[in-house]
Amino acid sequence: MTPSRWARGPARALQHPLTALIALVGVIGLTWALLVPPWQSPDEAVHFAYAQSLAERFALPDAKDRGPFSTDQILASDAVHALQIPFYTDQVRPDWSRSDYQRYLRAAATHPSGSNGGGLSADAANPPLFYLFDDLAYWGSLGSNALERLYAMRMWNVTLLLSAVLAGWLLSGEVFGRRRLAQLTCAAVIGLVPMQTFVLTSVNPDALMVPLWTLALWLGARVISQGAQTRDAAALCSLTAAAILTKATSYALVPPVLVALLIGWRQRPPAERRRTGQQLALASLALFVPVLGWVGLSKGLGRPVVNTIQASPGTQGHPFLVRQFLSYVWQFYLPRLPFLTPVGTSSGLALWDVWIRGGWGVFGYLEVAMPLWIYQVLAVVTGLVAAAALGLLARIRDRLRVELLTFFVLTLLSLLLLLHVSDYRSLIAGNGPLLQGRYLLPGIGLFGLAVGLATTRLPARWRGGFCGAVIVALLLLQVVALVTVAKRYYT
Amino acid sequence: MSGRARPASRRNGDLVIGSCLVLAVGIVGLVLAGLLDRRTTAFSVDVPAAAAVAMMAPGQRICQGPLAVVAPFNGVTAWMLLAKTSRAKFVVTARPDGGTAPTWRTQITPQSGIATNTPTALSGSFSSTIASGQRISLCLQSHSAGVIDVLGSTAVRGSGTLRLGGKPSQLALALVFKAPHPASVLALIPTIFSRAAVFRLPWFGAWTFWTLLAGVVVSVLLVLDSLPRAASLDEGSEPRDV
């Protein structure tokens, strides 16, 4: 091989749109991982404590005789005012001096215990898969204090963001065929929404949920379009099990996955269905065995299988009423009608506050927001994308496309149903609203598909420009988001 | 207009140029926003306004120190719990630690509307700038009508401690100090990168974020440059029609 041909190989690879996008998302992901101060991500302190408990004690965080945080974590948290910054935004504004950092390093050099945490916390009932994933970075980090391990874990989680981008590329390729511009648009949406880059580079089980769900969407589409090949079915079931072992929200994946397997099975000629059914039954063991194993282990350890919602102390919970639940859902998405009793404590429309603002990007402990007009523009954009997608999808008549659409719609509705039931139950238990925008991120593959669909429907001469405009707009949004975070914490 | 389609190479070139132009316009807008956005905080003592640490009657005086001046300042903000009808006015004096005569003096009053039982910020500006690198003591004297709760929390390193009834306590006021010359966000980028590099890995520095910024620029250009190739590949393939 001549040197010029050898040099062409890597250069050619960089010209591939997916490679270039992976590079861009990777650098932006690293920036998020390193820019956000320690534990300034929702519940990151508790999730770090869970991971540390597994890493140091090889035990789930359920000890009743100790606190949730280790001395190692408390020392680091105090050094960076982690618990005060989110709640006293005007008064606590650290100047992040090197001398303070050196003082912390001297204290950390005395090796405060990292194994005297592991007590009960709000997220202790979570399954362990994400935490085990992050423990690879914990163990592999060369650092010896909580801060260095935290940042090693965050940087490791950039791989999850990149996996989500790759999954989006595969998903849109499965649905639209090898249309690079549509694939690039879909993958860019998945990789560059600011809330996505913020959450997926934090120590948070949502970071693993998103790529698993996006991969499940891809494999579900493959199972439907290629007649439930055994390998695809087994992989889909394994991914679904992995998602459930990451966070209980992923039980919402089970109905659409079963529907996808059923649809794929029906694609087969009648003569093959018996054998295919047996193979699919075997493949489904990849879903049920790990999940039932975890359920059995949890019960054996006396742990809750899922996070339970209990009435807050001093209040009496209310029963689940279907009519009231429907009223709650109406009031989440639409203005309250005069005859409806208010449900929930939000003064404005929850759709705006939770899904639009929170879904596109509110950072820190939800106290760091971009300028209001940005969210107003994003609300219009989201509405236009949704309307365009609905308009295009309403015209679908082809049977395979209808089946794919059924799978995607069922996935979204199943996720929303589980989230809203949980939120409603929290409200009637007197605990206040539960939902945050990041809980919708597992469905971001569908939003990417909607934008990709719009790309395919444009005249050919416009598609490249549209794709470029989407990427540039997302990039500028990323800059606004990063500057918002930087201003909040470092000026 | 001719019915002939423009050459693919020219269309693809236009694509990249168009995307770069849009990006450039966006960057210019962000730069302008960064120039206009001015940050006024010099430093804070990092004590939250979590609880009342002193209840000040009219004429009463409390002092806190020594606190470290880590950046030059000419304004101060403290937090109080006020009623809507409160006419809160405090005189703040500062002197170098160990000195006796106040060297700097200002009056702090509410700068915006008062919400009952919600911490209200009272601010004021000194007539001259207090230089960094020294330790000072700060005193508040109430010229308000009625008893007013002054907010703070446990003292931390560098915040100084509050003297109550002439005796040192473990408490401190929540105080934030204002810079004499507010800097734009754009001008603060090197400072932001330096601060963001601390409490990470020991070998991190501001260079880490400069490198990431360069990486973003390079990878954006790679993505935009890949668009013509993606468009060409699409033209040559037989895609599935949804």
Side-chain angles (χ1 to χ4, degrees), chain A residues 105-123:
Chain A
L105 287 178
R106 286 194 293 273
T110 62
H111 302 294
S113 174
S115 58
N116 61 354
L120 285 173
S121 68
D123 291 296

mmCIF file of all heavy atoms in Angstrom, chain A residues 105-123:
data_model
loop_
_atom_site.group_PDB
_atom_site.id
_atom_site.type_symbol
_atom_site.label_atom_id
_atom_site.label_comp_id
_atom_site.label_asym_id
_atom_site.label_seq_id
_atom_site.Cartn_x
_atom_site.Cartn_y
_atom_site.Cartn_z
ATOM 1 N N LEU A 105 -7.077 18.892 48.502
ATOM 2 C CA LEU A 105 -6.212 17.760 48.175
ATOM 3 C C LEU A 105 -5.417 17.295 49.397
ATOM 4 O O LEU A 105 -5.200 16.086 49.585
ATOM 5 C CB LEU A 105 -5.263 18.133 47.031
ATOM 6 C CG LEU A 105 -5.891 18.247 45.638
ATOM 7 C CD1 LEU A 105 -4.845 18.680 44.617
ATOM 8 C CD2 LEU A 105 -6.540 16.939 45.209
ATOM 9 N N ARG A 106 -4.955 18.225 50.219
ATOM 10 C CA ARG A 106 -4.226 17.853 51.437
ATOM 11 C C ARG A 106 -5.138 17.063 52.370
ATOM 12 O O ARG A 106 -4.716 16.076 52.962
ATOM 13 C CB ARG A 106 -3.681 19.095 52.144
ATOM 14 C CG ARG A 106 -2.479 19.725 51.452
ATOM 15 C CD ARG A 106 -1.783 20.731 52.353
ATOM 16 N NE ARG A 106 -2.612 21.901 52.623
ATOM 17 C CZ ARG A 106 -2.653 22.982 51.830
ATOM 18 N NH1 ARG A 106 -1.938 23.031 50.721
ATOM 19 N NH2 ARG A 106 -3.420 24.012 52.158
ATOM 20 N N ALA A 107 -6.397 17.509 52.485
ATOM 21 C CA ALA A 107 -7.335 16.772 53.344
ATOM 22 C C ALA A 107 -7.648 15.412 52.739
ATOM 23 O O ALA A 107 -7.729 14.401 53.447
ATOM 24 C CB ALA A 107 -8.623 17.580 53.523
ATOM 25 N N ALA A 108 -7.805 15.351 51.404
ATOM 26 C CA ALA A 108 -8.127 14.075 50.757
ATOM 27 C C ALA A 108 -6.953 13.104 50.814
ATOM 28 O O ALA A 108 -7.145 11.891 50.733
ATOM 29 C CB ALA A 108 -8.529 14.326 49.299
ATOM 30 N N ALA A 109 -5.752 13.634 50.941
ATOM 31 C CA ALA A 109 -4.562 12.771 50.995
ATOM 32 C C ALA A 109 -4.510 11.946 52.273
ATOM 33 O O ALA A 109 -3.721 10.995 52.364
ATOM 34 C CB ALA A 109 -3.299 13.624 50.878
ATOM 35 N N THR A 110 -5.331 12.289 53.254
ATOM 36 C CA THR A 110 -5.401 11.483 54.482
ATOM 37 C C THR A 110 -6.314 10.268 54.288
ATOM 38 O O THR A 110 -6.568 9.537 55.235
ATOM 39 C CB THR A 110 -5.938 12.325 55.652
ATOM 40 O OG1 THR A 110 -7.270 12.757 55.350
ATOM 41 C CG2 THR A 110 -5.049 13.530 55.894
ATOM 42 N N HIS A 111 -6.806 10.097 53.047
ATOM 43 C CA HIS A 111 -7.622 8.938 52.680
ATOM 44 C C HIS A 111 -8.857 8.771 53.546
ATOM 45 O O HIS A 111 -9.012 7.737 54.220
ATOM 46 C CB HIS A 111 -6.772 7.651 52.690
ATOM 47 C CG HIS A 111 -5.601 7.719 51.767
ATOM 48 N ND1 HIS A 111 -5.724 7.801 50.398
ATOM 49 C CD2 HIS A 111 -4.277 7.766 52.032
ATOM 50 C CE1 HIS A 111 -4.523 7.884 49.851
ATOM 51 N NE2 HIS A 111 -3.629 7.865 50.822
ATOM 52 N N PRO A 112 -9.754 9.757 53.500
ATOM 53 C CA PRO A 112 -11.027 9.562 54.203
ATOM 54 C C PRO A 112 -11.756 8.359 53.621
ATOM 55 O O PRO A 112 -11.608 8.048 52.442
ATOM 56 C CB PRO A 112 -11.779 10.863 53.899
ATOM 57 C CG PRO A 112 -11.145 11.406 52.666
ATOM 58 C CD PRO A 112 -9.711 10.991 52.719
ATOM 59 N N SER A 113 -12.534 7.730 54.442
ATOM 60 C CA SER A 113 -13.161 6.476 54.033
ATOM 61 C C SER A 113 -14.146 6.678 52.886
ATOM 62 O O SER A 113 -14.959 7.592 52.905
ATOM 63 C CB SER A 113 -13.891 5.867 55.233
ATOM 64 O OG SER A 113 -14.623 4.732 54.820
ATOM 65 N N GLY A 114 -14.058 5.821 51.898
ATOM 66 C CA GLY A 114 -15.028 5.805 50.808
ATOM 67 C C GLY A 114 -16.040 4.692 50.991
ATOM 68 O O GLY A 114 -16.932 4.508 50.165
ATOM 69 N N SER A 115 -15.911 3.946 52.087
ATOM 70 C CA SER A 115 -16.784 2.781 52.261
ATOM 71 C C SER A 115 -17.692 2.898 53.475
ATOM 72 O O SER A 115 -18.355 1.933 53.846
ATOM 73 C CB SER A 115 -15.928 1.513 52.401
ATOM 74 O OG SER A 115 -15.048 1.649 53.500
ATOM 75 N N ASN A 116 -17.739 4.084 54.095
ATOM 76 C CA ASN A 116 -18.638 4.197 55.250
ATOM 77 C C ASN A 116 -19.938 4.894 54.900
ATOM 78 O O ASN A 116 -20.643 5.404 55.753
ATOM 79 C CB ASN A 116 -17.945 4.901 56.423
ATOM 80 C CG ASN A 116 -17.506 6.315 56.069
ATOM 81 O OD1 ASN A 116 -17.611 6.735 54.914
ATOM 82 N ND2 ASN A 116 -17.005 7.041 57.041
ATOM 83 N N GLY A 117 -20.255 4.924 53.589
ATOM 84 C CA GLY A 117 -21.576 5.386 53.151
ATOM 85 C C GLY A 117 -22.433 4.167 52.837
ATOM 86 O O GLY A 117 -22.263 3.110 53.433
ATOM 87 N N GLY A 118 -23.307 4.296 51.868
ATOM 88 C CA GLY A 118 -24.117 3.160 51.453
ATOM 89 C C GLY A 118 -25.396 2.989 52.227
ATOM 90 O O GLY A 118 -26.006 1.916 52.205
ATOM 91 N N GLY A 119 -25.824 4.058 52.922
ATOM 92 C CA GLY A 119 -27.103 3.983 53.615
ATOM 93 C C GLY A 119 -28.248 4.247 52.661
ATOM 94 O O GLY A 119 -28.053 4.545 51.485
ATOM 95 N N LEU A 120 -29.447 4.162 53.194
ATOM 96 C CA LEU A 120 -30.643 4.324 52.361
ATOM 97 C C LEU A 120 -30.731 5.742 51.805
ATOM 98 O O LEU A 120 -30.348 6.705 52.460
ATOM 99 C CB LEU A 120 -31.894 4.037 53.197
ATOM 100 C CG LEU A 120 -32.154 2.554 53.498
ATOM 101 C CD1 LEU A 120 -33.306 2.409 54.471
ATOM 102 C CD2 LEU A 120 -32.449 1.784 52.219
ATOM 103 N N SER A 121 -31.227 5.851 50.591
ATOM 104 C CA SER A 121 -31.462 7.155 49.985
ATOM 105 C C SER A 121 -32.672 7.029 49.066
ATOM 106 O O SER A 121 -33.204 5.938 48.863
ATOM 107 C CB SER A 121 -30.251 7.616 49.180
ATOM 108 O OG SER A 121 -30.082 6.789 48.045
ATOM 109 N N ALA A 122 -33.067 8.156 48.479
ATOM 110 C CA ALA A 122 -34.268 8.163 47.635
ATOM 111 C C ALA A 122 -34.127 7.239 46.431
ATOM 112 O O ALA A 122 -35.103 6.698 45.938
ATOM 113 C CB ALA A 122 -34.554 9.586 47.173
ATOM 114 N N ASP A 123 -32.899 7.056 45.942
ATOM 115 C CA ASP A 123 -32.712 6.247 44.743
ATOM 116 C C ASP A 123 -32.101 4.888 45.038
ATOM 117 O O ASP A 123 -31.654 4.190 44.126
ATOM 118 C CB ASP A 123 -31.818 7.016 43.749
ATOM 119 C CG ASP A 123 -32.536 8.222 43.169
ATOM 120 O OD1 ASP A 123 -33.539 8.016 42.480
ATOM 121 O OD2 ASP A 123 -32.103 9.360 43.436
#
